[in-house]
Amino acid sequence: MKIGVFDSGIGGMTVLKELIKTFPNENFVYYGDTANVPYGTKSSSQIRNLCQEAAYSLKTKNLDVLVIACNTASAIALDVFKKILFPLPVFGVVEPGVSAVVEQFQKLPFDPQRRILILGTKATIKSQIYSLEIRKAIAFNQISEQSCPLAVPMIEEGWVNSPILLSTLQEYVKTYQHDKIPGIALLACTHYPWAIGAFQKVLPNWNIVDSAKAVAEFLLRQQFSLSQKNDLTVQWFFTDPEAVTPMALNDFQQMGLTIAL
Amino acid sequence: MKIGVFDSGIGGMTVLKELIKTFPNENFVYYGDTANVPYGTKSSSQIRNLCQEAAYSLKTKNLDVLVIACNTASAIALDVFKKILFPLPVFGVVEPGVSAVVEQFQKLPFDPQRRILILGTKATIKSQIYSLEIRKAIAFNQISEQSCPLAVPMIEEGWVNSPILLSTLQEYVKTYQHDKIPGIALLACTHYPWAIGAFQKVLPNWNIVDSAKAVAEFLLRQQFSLSQKNDLTVQWFFTDPEAVTPMALNDFQQMGLTIAL
């Protein structure tokens, strides 16, 4: 099976990594629009235009399924990909993230004071798509959304274990740290799993839902027909290869995969 | 006179502000490529393509002079603007910044241990244009360059007085803080003047050269024929108006100017 993974930049690599762990025998195509990253600060119409261009380019790759591993694009332009690539099955990160949060919520004893907290980029949070979708699934109103605009640039700087990242996240979540009942926090940005340790530190005892893992689990449930022999391959496409942050490549080199830029 | 000011985003507004103070009776055109900001993390060829598009668009604005108020574009694509807009006089921020540093250096008593430190985005620092140009002007080798990739996103977040910005800058300049002789630091990014107080705090006693002021002083020396009556106007063009950070507009509202997006 040929699985496409689209992201505005390198963030979707956290999703790719989880997908490779879950589907270790498949062929992957990673498409990063590094010439136009970040999407999270752009207007909706601009984001939709960029996704349209990417979709036409992905149409030529003979995919069997496409994962939009970018929260901003999933929130704002999933229909653009679906329309252009029809009848290809296209999945965003929103549906898997929502499912994972709802599942976590239903596992825990019900408490009206328990908070569901969505953390993401400005554009994702502004869209409120996660709150809307979670409210469709469960009758629960204690849902908060918080944008963390500096988290992505700090992660790209490689400061995932830095006290500066901790102070920054602390600043973003300070309203929620005094909740008596530990809440459920969804990392609704594909960069954030790289810094999951820092998020857990500023929200101790909270249930942190990793959106990259959620996507892989969600795709596994779709019961695609998988390859029986081990022929894992990854093809890489970047709209600006020079703009790929080296830190993004480490995980794959550790997996024995190389990235030709 | 109609003065054009180009930037990849909103950073050039620090230059525009200084230009308005210095030329209070002129007409200004501000062009911010907010659909493609930031330039500082993109490859040179990508930056040159974007500047080409911007130059063709600026060609229609009947300018008398154009200021490229973006360090990355000045370092990498000044020739692109000059070629397309010929014979329009086009000035970047590099030449004025270099002049201001050299002037400051010559004012201070000579000391071989005094350091000249260039602070900017990754792309500007990678280009080494400031070191090269300063070395052409003065026979002096104690020149260091340091990129501060998180400074721009933090300033755009409005954290100019935050202890987190201070810790971040501290991290970037820690090698230079122990210099016995206070050096000269050039803020070679048009965003940085918004946080000049923070830069001064992490480099106490240093001479901080503000590139926005340097550009205005440089342009004043060109002896253009200026308007005698007060008819200050600013026309704004943004390739993605929704992506304009509100903090950028405050300075102009305080000047009594409004920005129609």
Side-chain angles (χ1 to χ4, degrees):
Chain A
M1 195 169 64
K2 202 166 177 186
I3 306 173
V5 178
F6 167 83
D7 184 39
S8 57
I10 58 159
M13 290 190 185
T14 61
V15 174
L16 175 63
K17 199 175 68 171
E18 294 298 331
L19 287 172
I20 292 175
K21 280 190 203 162
T22 311
F23 305 100
N25 298 333
E26 310 305 315
N27 303 134
F28 292 89
V29 171
Y30 187 89
Y31 184 103
D33 190 9
T34 46
N36 296 300
V37 74
Y39 281 12
T41 51
K42 292 182 168 58
S43 66
S44 300
S45 60
Q46 177 74 6
I47 293 164
R48 290 176 69 86
N49 286 343
L50 294 170
C51 288
Q52 190 175 317
E53 268 180 63
Y56 280 113
S57 175
L58 285 162
K59 213 181 163 103
T60 64
K61 310 278 186 239
N62 297 315
L63 302 175
D64 296 305
V65 56
L66 174 63
V67 177
I68 307 305
C70 168
N71 275 270
T72 309
S74 297
I76 287 157
L78 191 62
D79 60 311
V80 173
F81 286 100
K82 283 189 173 170
K83 198 177 162 193
I84 293 170
L85 294 161
F86 182 83
L88 185 76
V90 177
F91 299 92
V93 284
V94 176
E95 203 181 345
V98 168
S99 293
V101 164
V102 168
E103 205 173 292
Q104 189 65 45
F105 179 81
Q106 285 165 340
K107 255 192 220 163
L108 294 167
F110 179 78
D111 191 311
Q113 284 194 290
R114 189 180 316 279
R115 188 190 304 273
I116 293 174
L117 175 61
I118 313 301
L119 302 167
T121 64
K122 270 191 192 169
T124 301
I125 297 310
K126 201 177 156 202
S127 78
Q128 292 193 292
I129 191 161
Y130 281 98
S131 299
L132 294 169
E133 293 299 321
I134 292 169
R135 284 201 181 95
K136 279 185 201 166
I138 46 173
F140 188 65
N141 280 315
Q142 184 76 330
I143 306 174
S144 304
E145 302 217 14
Q146 174 66 47
S147 69
C148 311
L150 288 167
V152 169
M154 281 191 187
I155 290 168
E156 295 220 345
E157 185 77 332
W159 289 13
V160 292
N161 298 312
S162 156
I164 296 178
L165 176 63
L166 280 183
S167 309
T168 301
L169 296 183
Q170 199 97 23
E171 186 61 32
Y172 289 135
V173 304
K174 65 184 175 193
T175 325
Y176 314 109
Q177 285 179 316
H178 305 294
D179 282 12
K180 280 179 195 147
I181 307 294
I184 299 167
L186 174 68
L187 306 187
C189 169
T190 51
H191 270 76
Y192 297 177
W194 272 309
I196 194 165
F199 282 100
Q200 189 71 76
K201 264 189 198 153
V202 297
L203 292 170
N205 307 319
W206 278 53
N207 301 272
I208 310 283
V209 178
D210 176 337
S211 55
K213 282 207 172 99
V215 173
E217 283 162 21
F218 189 85
L219 217 67
L220 193 61
R221 279 184 226 152
Q222 308 301 313
Q223 302 190 309
F224 289 109
S225 69
L226 300 175
S227 174
Q228 294 310 310
K229 58 178 169 63
N230 184 346
D231 61 350
L232 170 66
T233 60
V234 184
Q235 281 179 277
W236 306 92
F237 295 96
F238 295 104
T239 50
D240 187 353
E242 283 181 56
V244 178
T245 322
M247 64 151 291
L249 314 182
N250 294 344
D251 293 337
F252 298 96
Q253 278 154 355
Q254 282 168 16
M255 283 177 169
L257 289 162
T258 51
I259 304 188
L261 292 179
Chain B
M1 195 169 64
K2 203 168 176 186
I3 306 174
V5 179
F6 167 84
D7 184 40
S8 58
I10 58 158
M13 289 190 185
T14 60
V15 174
L16 176 62
K17 199 175 69 172
E18 294 298 332
L19 287 173
I20 291 175
K21 279 190 204 161
T22 310
F23 304 100
N25 298 333
E26 308 305 315
N27 302 133
F28 292 89
V29 170
Y30 187 89
Y31 185 103
D33 190 9
T34 47
N36 297 301
V37 75
Y39 281 11
T41 51
K42 294 185 167 57
S43 65
S44 301
S45 61
Q46 178 74 5
I47 293 164
R48 290 176 69 85
N49 285 343
L50 293 170
C51 288
Q52 189 175 318
E53 269 181 62
Y56 280 113
S57 175
L58 285 162
K59 212 178 163 105
T60 65
K61 311 276 188 238
N62 297 315
L63 302 175
D64 296 305
V65 57
L66 174 63
V67 177
I68 307 304
C70 169
N71 276 269
T72 309
S74 297
I76 287 157
L78 191 63
D79 60 312
V80 173
F81 286 100
K82 282 187 173 169
K83 197 177 163 194
I84 293 171
L85 295 161
F86 182 83
L88 185 76
V90 177
F91 299 92
V93 284
V94 176
E95 202 181 346
V98 168
S99 294
V101 165
V102 169
E103 205 172 293
Q104 189 67 45
F105 178 81
Q106 286 166 339
K107 255 191 219 162
L108 294 167
F110 179 78
D111 191 312
Q113 285 195 290
R114 192 184 312 283
R115 187 191 304 274
I116 294 175
L117 175 61
I118 312 299
L119 301 167
T121 64
K122 271 190 191 168
T124 301
I125 297 310
K126 200 177 156 203
S127 79
Q128 294 193 290
I129 191 161
Y130 280 98
S131 300
L132 295 168
E133 293 299 322
I134 292 169
R135 284 200 183 96
K136 280 185 199 166
I138 46 173
F140 188 66
N141 281 314
Q142 184 77 331
I143 306 174
S144 304
E145 301 218 16
Q146 174 66 48
S147 70
C148 311
L150 287 168
V152 169
M154 280 192 188
I155 290 168
E156 294 220 346
E157 184 77 333
W159 289 14
V160 291
N161 298 312
S162 156
I164 296 178
L165 176 64
L166 281 182
S167 309
T168 301
L169 296 183
Q170 199 96 26
E171 185 62 31
Y172 289 134
V173 304
K174 65 183 174 195
T175 326
Y176 315 107
Q177 285 179 315
H178 306 293
D179 281 11
K180 279 177 197 148
I181 306 294
I184 300 168
L186 173 68
L187 305 186
C189 169
T190 52
H191 271 77
Y192 298 177
W194 273 309
I196 194 166
F199 282 99
Q200 189 71 75
K201 264 188 198 153
V202 298
L203 292 169
N205 307 320
W206 278 53
N207 301 272
I208 309 282
V209 177
D210 175 338
S211 56
K213 281 207 173 98
V215 173
E217 282 161 21
F218 189 85
L219 218 66
L220 193 60
R221 281 183 225 151
Q222 307 301 315
Q223 302 192 307
F224 290 110
S225 70
L226 300 174
S227 174
Q228 294 310 310
K229 59 179 169 63
N230 183 345
D231 62 351
L232 169 67
T233 60
V234 184
Q235 279 179 280
W236 306 92
F237 295 95
F238 294 103
T239 50
D240 188 354
E242 282 180 55
V244 179
T245 323
M247 64 148 294
L249 313 182
N250 294 344
D251 293 337
F252 298 95
Q253 278 154 354
Q254 281 167 17
M255 283 178 169
L257 288 162
T258 50
I259 305 188
L261 293 179

